[in-house]
């Protein structure tokens, strides 16, 4: 493609966060701004008429008509095979896994089914405005392969892994300690670092991985620096009790992972609702991040995440949908429940802190702040065009907002996939006029 053709400029309103030293950040809002995209990257973002834009003919910009542009959302914990599990009634974690989740994941044994379902999952993310995610595939090698292939075709920034589980699971989903690690190794070699893709070693949780398999997971991390680790931790009291029985020698639940070298700066532990103080301290020491999954925690009756405790301990907190226990694939819907859970803990999560969390904050916890989660020049051109007029109950509220924080808060509480008029991934429009763009 000619260099000229690869350049696109957009004029509208822009909201994003920029990283600052010491883990801080700055919110930037441009009431009348111009975003210049060259190929897959952002080349410039500035107020219309600013010196950086000299030479740019403003009349040539695509006029977004006052719509708000924000970075694509980042989801740090979501299960690709669980779209059809959402909304399954009546159980807490362990029964929910047995009754609904394992049977749904077993269907991915069929390769043709897996290929279609993985592509559909990524399209569903794009419709919601999620352009980067850390994802659990199933325990099938071919299904994980299909997920990566579908992400590559869409040029998505995706971190994913084959679920490791060699015990306490139906035979159709079980791998072996050695076989599961060998398959993961093969997938790492094929996909990690290819384009925008990265691999996460993915032991489901300590109940379904033997100590030998957890040791193998640790070996994979040592053999492949840069690979991530994702798993579940202390979501449900029965789960915590089962882990205590299975690992009598462990100091606590986190220790079942830590003993095998699984607590690193590239590890994301989902839930963390029932931790001891020593576990929170250890998370802080190792630089591991936690994923707060509010809609899932409420839906499964798992408990209330203590945002303040992790913030005080300086443990990076990310926010995630955890579909299919989560009830909303949208990061906006996820923030509705995050706000309510924080309210119950005495912390009225400020609107722009929530905005930071699902953009730059989540990106930063994954070490990807130079590429995603922001509209800063040099980063990948993943962004959303939001239009409140597409959501009838939101439009009236927005008209009464006095500043951008109030406006964002209205989006976060009342918005859904209708708000996302366009989703851009690496400089290409993947959702246009509220529909998936043709050619995906
Ligand atoms: N713990 C182990 N597996 C899962 C899962 O699939 N979803 C949730 N929410 N928790 C888990
Ligand atoms: Zn999960």
């Amino acid at each position: 493609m000619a260099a000229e053709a690869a350049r696109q400029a957009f004029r509208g309103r822009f909201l994003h966060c920029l990283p600052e030293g010491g883990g801080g950040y700055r919110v930037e809002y441009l009431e009348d701004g111009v975003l210049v995209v060259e190929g897959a990257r952002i080349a410039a973002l500035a107020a219309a008429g600013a010196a950086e834009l000299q030479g740019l003919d403003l009349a040539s910009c695509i006029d977004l008509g006052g719509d708000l542009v924000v970075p694509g959302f980042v989801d740090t914990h979501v299960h690709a095979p669980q779209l059809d599990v959402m909304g399954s009634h009546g159980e807490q974690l362990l029964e929910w896994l047995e009754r609904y989740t394992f049977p749904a994941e077993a269907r991915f044994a069929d390769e043709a089914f897996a290929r279609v379902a993985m592509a559909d999952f990524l399209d569903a993310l794009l419709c919601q405005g999620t352009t980067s995610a850390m994802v659990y595939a199933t325990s099938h090698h071919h299904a994980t392969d299909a997920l990566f292939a579908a992400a590559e075709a869409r040029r998505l920034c995706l971190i994913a892994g084959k679920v490791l589980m060699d015990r306490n699971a139906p035979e159709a989903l079980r791998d072996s300690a050695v076989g599961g690690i060998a398959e993961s190794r093969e997938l790492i070699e094929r996909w990690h670092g290819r384009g925008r893709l990265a691999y996460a070693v993915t032991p489901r949780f300590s109940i379904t991985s033997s100590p030998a398999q957890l040791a193998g997971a640790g070996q994979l991390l040592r053999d492949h620096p840069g690979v991530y680790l994702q798993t579940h931790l202390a979501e449900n009291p029965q789960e915590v009790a089962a882990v205590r029985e299975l690992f009598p020698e462990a100091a606590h639940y986190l220790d079942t992972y830590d003993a095998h070298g699984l607590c690193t700066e590239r590890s994301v532990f989902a839930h963390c609702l029932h931790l001891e103080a020593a576990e929170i301290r250890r998370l802080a020491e190792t630089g591991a991040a936690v994923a707060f999954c509010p809609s899932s925690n409420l839906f499964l009756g798992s408990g209330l995440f203590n945002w303040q405790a992790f913030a005080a301990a300086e443990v990076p907190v990310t926010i995630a949908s955890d579909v299919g226990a989560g009830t909303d694939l949208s990061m906006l819907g996820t923030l509705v429940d995050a706000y309510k859970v924080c309210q119950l803990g005495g912390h009225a999560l400020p609107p722009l802190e929530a905005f930071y969390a699902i953009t730059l904050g989540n990106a930063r916890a994954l070490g990807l702040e130079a590429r995603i989660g922001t509209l800063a020049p040099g980063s990948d051109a993943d962004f959303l065009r939001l239009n409140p007029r597409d959501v009838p109950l939101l439009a009236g509220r927005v008209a009464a907002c006095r500043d951008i924080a109030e406006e964002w808060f209205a989006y976060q509480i009342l918005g859904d996939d209708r708000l996302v008029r366009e989703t851009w991934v690496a400089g290409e429009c993947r959702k246009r006029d509220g529909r998936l763009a043709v050619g995906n």
Side-chain angles (χ1 to χ4, degrees), residues 77-79 82 96 136 231-232 235 270-271 293 296 322-323 325:
H77 182 98
V78 58
H79 296 261
Q82 294 183 14
W96 173 85
Y136 288 58
T231 191
H232 297 88
E235 175 176 5
H271 305 300
C293 307
S296 163
D322 192 29
V323 158

Side-chain angles (χ1 to χ4, degrees), residues 17-64:
C17 300
L18 293 144
E20 291 196 330
Y25 65 95
R26 176 166 67 83
V27 179
E28 182 176 53
Y29 172 58
L30 298 173
E31 182 78 38
D32 180 14
V34 173
L35 178 78
V36 182
V37 173
E38 276 172 8
R41 296 281 182 92
I42 293 173
L45 173 67
E52 296 102 290
L53 299 174
Q54 250 181 11
L56 182 84
D57 175 13
L58 287 182
S60 71
C61 293
I62 298 166
D63 184 2
L64 302 180

Side-chain angles (χ1 to χ4, degrees), residues 27-334:
V27 179
E28 182 176 53
Y29 172 58
L30 298 173
E31 182 78 38
D32 180 14
V34 173
L35 178 78
V36 182
V37 173
E38 276 172 8
R41 296 281 182 92
I42 293 173
L45 173 67
E52 296 102 290
L53 299 174
Q54 250 181 11
L56 182 84
D57 175 13
L58 287 182
S60 71
C61 293
I62 298 166
D63 184 2
L64 302 180
D67 288 355
L68 185 69
V69 173
V70 298
F73 302 144
V74 184
D75 188 345
T76 58
H77 182 98
V78 58
H79 296 261
Q82 294 183 14
L83 285 187
D84 296 343
V85 178
M86 289 169 83
S88 301
H89 175 261
E91 310 285 2
Q92 292 215 349
L93 175 65
L94 299 181
E95 297 77 22
W96 173 85
L97 285 171
E98 289 288 341
R99 194 176 157 110
Y100 303 111
T101 311
F102 291 157
E105 295 192 6
R107 294 177 68 197
F108 284 71
D110 179 329
E111 291 197 27
F113 174 85
R115 236 187 337 271
V116 173
M118 290 309 191
D120 286 351
F121 165 75
L122 295 180
D123 286 341
L125 284 185
L126 288 172
C127 272
Q128 301 292 347
T130 298
T131 53
S132 301
M134 191 166 191
V135 183
Y136 288 58
T138 64
S139 50
H140 309 99
H141 177 280
H142 64 259
T144 313
D145 202 57
L147 175 64
F148 277 117
E152 183 173 64
R154 288 158 183 73
R155 303 178 70 193
L156 279 167
C157 175
L158 199 88
I159 303 169
K162 179 203 112 66
V163 172
L164 291 163
M165 42 201 251
D166 66 343
R167 63 174 179 175
N168 297 321
E171 197 183 344
L173 286 176
R174 274 201 311 267
D175 53 17
S176 66
V178 172
I181 298 301
E183 287 187 337
S184 304
R185 194 181 294 281
E186 198 275 326
L187 288 162
I188 291 169
E189 281 159 11
R190 182 159 351 161
W191 293 109
H192 182 69
R194 179 159 147 179
R196 307 185 75 200
L197 307 174
Y199 197 86
V201 175
T202 308
R204 180 168 217 122
F205 60 169
S206 291
I207 294 180
T208 50
S209 282
S210 64
Q213 190 168 62
L214 294 172
Q219 192 59 49
L220 285 176
L221 295 188
R222 285 189 291 281
D223 291 346
H224 301 278
V227 158
Y228 292 85
L229 180 285
Q230 60 180 349
T231 191
H232 297 88
L233 176 65
E235 175 176 5
N236 171 286
Q238 280 87 45
E239 170 207 3
V240 176
V243 170
R244 198 171 295 130
E245 283 207 0
L246 286 165
F247 295 85
E249 72 294 348
H252 41 58
Y253 193 161
L254 183 64
D255 194 34
T256 65
Y257 300 125
D258 200 12
H260 299 291
L262 303 186
C263 297
T264 78
E265 280 186 351
R266 300 176 89 77
S267 302
V268 178
F269 293 97
H271 305 300
C272 301
L273 302 178
H274 307 284
L275 293 183
E276 297 170 14
E279 292 174 286
I280 298 181
R281 277 198 302 276
R282 183 66 189 145
L283 285 168
E285 272 167 23
T286 58
V290 302
F292 169 28
C293 307
S295 78
S296 163
N297 297 161
L298 294 170
F299 183 73
L300 291 180
S302 303
L304 297 175
F305 183 80
N306 189 340
W307 178 284
Q308 306 280 57
F310 290 93
E314 297 187 13
V315 174
V317 175
T318 68
I319 299 185
S321 70
D322 192 29
V323 158
T327 51
D328 204 330
L329 193 59
S330 165
M331 292 308 290
L332 298 170
T334 301

Side-chain angles (χ1 to χ4, degrees), residues 304-309 338-348:
L304 297 175
F305 183 80
N306 189 340
W307 178 284
Q308 306 280 57
Y339 181 74
K340 293 173 184 171
V341 168
C342 287
Q343 277 279 48
L344 288 171
H347 176 56

